Amino acid sequence: MIADRSAFPIAGVVGVIGGPDDEVGRQLTRLESLPALGGVEIRADLFETCAAGLALTERLKDRWPVLFTVRLAAEGGAWRDSESRRIEIYSEALRRGAVLLDAELRSGAARALSEHGAPLLVSHHDFDGPIGPDALEELTAEAASLAHLGIKIVPTAARPLDALRTLQWVAARKAGGPRRIGFAMGDHGVFSRILTPAWGAPFTYGSLTVQVAPGQLSARDLLDIYRAPAHTRATRVFGVIGSPVHHSLSPYMHNPAFAARGLDAIYVPFALRSFSDLWDLAEPLAIAGVSVTIPFKKDAFDHATSADAASEAGGVSNTLVWERSEGAVALRGWNTDANGVLEPLARRRIELAGLSVGILGNGGAARGAAGALLAAGASVTLYYRNKEKGESAASDLGCAARPMDDLAPRDHGLLVNATPLGLDPRDASPVASRVFTPETIAFDMIYDPPDTPFLRCAAQAGAQVLIPGREMLVCQGLVQFRLFTGEDATYDEFEASFLGAQKERRGKQEE
Ligand code: NAP
């Protein structure tokens, strides 16, 4: 049985099924809800006995192409029996209908299966770190010496460049050679899991319920949100840069809006170590635009070729858009957080001229909000915990600054929480309910959880106008969408996408 290299038996997104055994029922239910899945990987080593994985292969083979894998503990798996027994299990999986076998390079199983011409994906994982260009070449040559359909190389990214290298490796496949699947594990590699099909990999992996590798996304998100198999190198790449970014719900708003308009574009999370990591990615991925989150908004402004007035006012940008023409690249900085603050107030017809505003915090979002509110005629005081930072921000902006403890009731008509307090369910409100009155407008920038300690304190004091961070996220995202695509999305559309994603995430946390 000599494997035919021209045809690859699985394409798209592969959902991974593995133990513990009591989880399998839920994984099968999820599988049923994903008809567009391109295949199923059965991680037989993760079941209590391999017999369960073999039985499942037989059961699923007529519905989905099955990739069958048995990994040793040293290969990141849980197989503890002998190598000869492992080879027997692989052979049995083929008899039961598996179309592809994944065996680790340098294993006895890979050699034996290769000798028998089995449909083989030879893989190499490094759970400890990245793989440099020379090692990548050596591993490729070694893997190619085995008779197989494909090679998979999966390092752990210490920085985004390590993940980019895996994509470039996928794209460097020679015509007629074995297909390549490359991406990197870990937070810095998440974008490569999404983009590997666009760079030429036949498929990428997604979890069904339990994540079986660091950074693995759900199969549902890969299919429904990112539409990973639909993209090519011509697809326009957008994303969100930050550290961390895994909490960001922006991909859930932008991607469905691209799809609804038939735009060949994708929006992915880029977890950077430092802002300079962006330069490693921008040109190779031809990134067209990014949203910028903590802690890079000031860097974004500092590195933009030019920036809008809202960025200038606060000294921070939360959006970067690349303009490339005839070899020249200009990077435009925008601050759509400003719109995110102003729009929810405008929707409530709140007069800003002369309004006294207290902003808790002096970071990127506080600066953006203060700049926009000052420009709209409000008087602004920043409340800080660190005098030096608070006064420095106030002096940049031309507004007042006071210590957080100085905040007294009736000082301000509008109080904005621009600290991260409330993100963690154990957080207390940054200010006590005594600082609110029924007339205080309370605006919390935090959008997840929806019910924050700050807004609860305001409600306890009888405050009538409570503005959740979701409105800011939606309003700033809509402006970004226009900057990215030149098209308009609607508030209702973005909000519905956001609420759906938030509900899904809460459901997962409760599972
Ligand atoms: P940032 O640059 O890190 O600034 C955070 C600010 O909060 C800093 O001034 C920091 O003080 C202060 N702070 C942190 N912990 C505090 C504590 N325990 N007590 C008092 N002050 C504290 O973050 P950012 O970009 O401005 O974002 C701030 C918040 O707004 C985040 O929660 C973010 O998720 C949210 N946000 C929401 C949206 C939206 O669309 N809804 C948009 C942007 C931001 P130091 O200066 O002393 O460190």
Side-chain angles (χ1 to χ4, degrees), residues 112-236:
L113 293 167
S114 162
E115 278 163 18
H116 287 91
L120 186 58
L121 178 66
V122 176
S123 53
H124 176 83
H125 296 79
D126 192 328
F127 290 89
D128 296 325
I131 300 176
D134 292 345
L136 209 46
E137 285 314 308
E138 283 163 25
L139 288 165
T140 309
E142 197 180 335
S145 69
L146 300 169
H148 56 266
L149 287 169
I151 308 174
K152 180 178 72 171
I153 296 190
V154 185
T156 298
R159 54 184 181 150
L161 180 62
D162 302 325
L164 174 71
R165 203 178 289 125
T166 63
L167 296 180
Q168 291 169 326
W169 171 80
V170 169
R173 165 189 176 242
K174 296 203 173 54
R179 297 293 296 273
R180 295 182 178 186
I181 300 171
F183 55 84
M185 292 182 280
D187 286 350
H188 300 301
V190 169
F191 73 89
S192 61
R193 289 179 176 275
I194 302 168
L195 295 179
T196 191
W199 283 62
F203 64 80
T204 188
Y205 297 82
S207 65
L208 290 171
T209 58
V210 184
Q211 199 187 46
V212 299
Q216 192 173 62
L217 295 156
S218 75
R220 173 174 291 171
D221 279 358
L222 285 166
L223 284 168
D224 295 350
I225 300 300
Y226 295 105
R227 296 180 298 131
H231 301 298
T232 66
R233 293 285 293 282
T235 299
R236 298 184 75 207

Side-chain angles (χ1 to χ4, degrees), residues 343-364:
E343 187 66 26
L345 297 166
R347 287 160 72 98
R348 291 172 172 82
R349 301 183 191 288
I350 291 165
E351 180 59 58
L352 295 180
L355 183 68
S356 171
V357 182
I359 299 180
L360 313 175
N362 46 261

Side-chain angles (χ1 to χ4, degrees), residues 370-405:
L373 289 161
L374 285 166
S379 71
V380 174
T381 305
L382 297 182
Y383 288 88
Y384 56 77
R385 64 171 176 179
N386 177 311
K387 188 171 182 337
E388 206 180 316
K389 285 193 197 171
E391 289 187 343
S392 153
S395 132
D396 289 349
L397 288 153
C399 67
R402 278 159 56 185
M404 197 89 80
D405 293 343

Side-chain angles (χ1 to χ4, degrees), residues 225-352:
I225 300 300
Y226 295 105
R227 296 180 298 131
H231 301 298
T232 66
R233 293 285 293 282
T235 299
R236 298 184 75 207
V237 176
F238 299 94
V240 49
I241 61 167
S243 178
V245 284
H246 60 261
H247 63 282
S248 175
L249 291 175
S250 294
Y252 298 84
M253 300 193 299
H254 287 279
N255 284 310
F258 293 150
R261 286 159 187 76
L263 298 173
D264 185 16
I266 188 168
Y267 183 104
V268 297
F270 294 114
L272 308 185
R273 256 177 353 168
S274 65
F275 187 76
S276 61
D277 286 339
L278 182 60
W279 310 133
D280 291 332
L281 303 181
E283 294 314 312
L285 292 177
I287 294 176
V290 288
S291 312
V292 183
T293 185
I294 298 174
F296 300 130
K297 292 183 183 181
K298 190 161 182 326
D299 293 298
F301 174 70
D302 290 345
H303 289 88
T305 322
S306 65
D308 70 333
S311 297
E312 298 281 355
V316 285
S317 296
N318 77 332
T319 311
L320 290 172
V321 176
W322 277 257
E323 287 174 10
R324 298 180 173 91
S325 71
E326 293 167 12
V329 181
L331 192 54
R332 309 267 173 234
W334 306 82
N335 192 325
T336 72
D337 279 344
N339 187 73
V341 170
L342 298 183
E343 187 66 26
L345 297 166
R347 287 160 72 98
R348 291 172 172 82
R349 301 183 191 288
I350 291 165
E351 180 59 58
L352 295 180

Side-chain angles (χ1 to χ4, degrees), residues 294 297 337 361-366 385-386 389 404 417-421 423 445-447 469-470 472-473 476:
I294 298 174
K297 292 183 183 181
D337 279 344
N362 46 261
R385 64 171 176 179
N386 177 311
K389 285 193 197 171
M404 197 89 80
N417 177 30
T419 76
L421 282 174
L423 279 177
M445 290 194 180
I446 289 175
Y447 57 81
R470 177 185 78 247
M472 177 176 178
L473 185 77
Q476 63 79 29

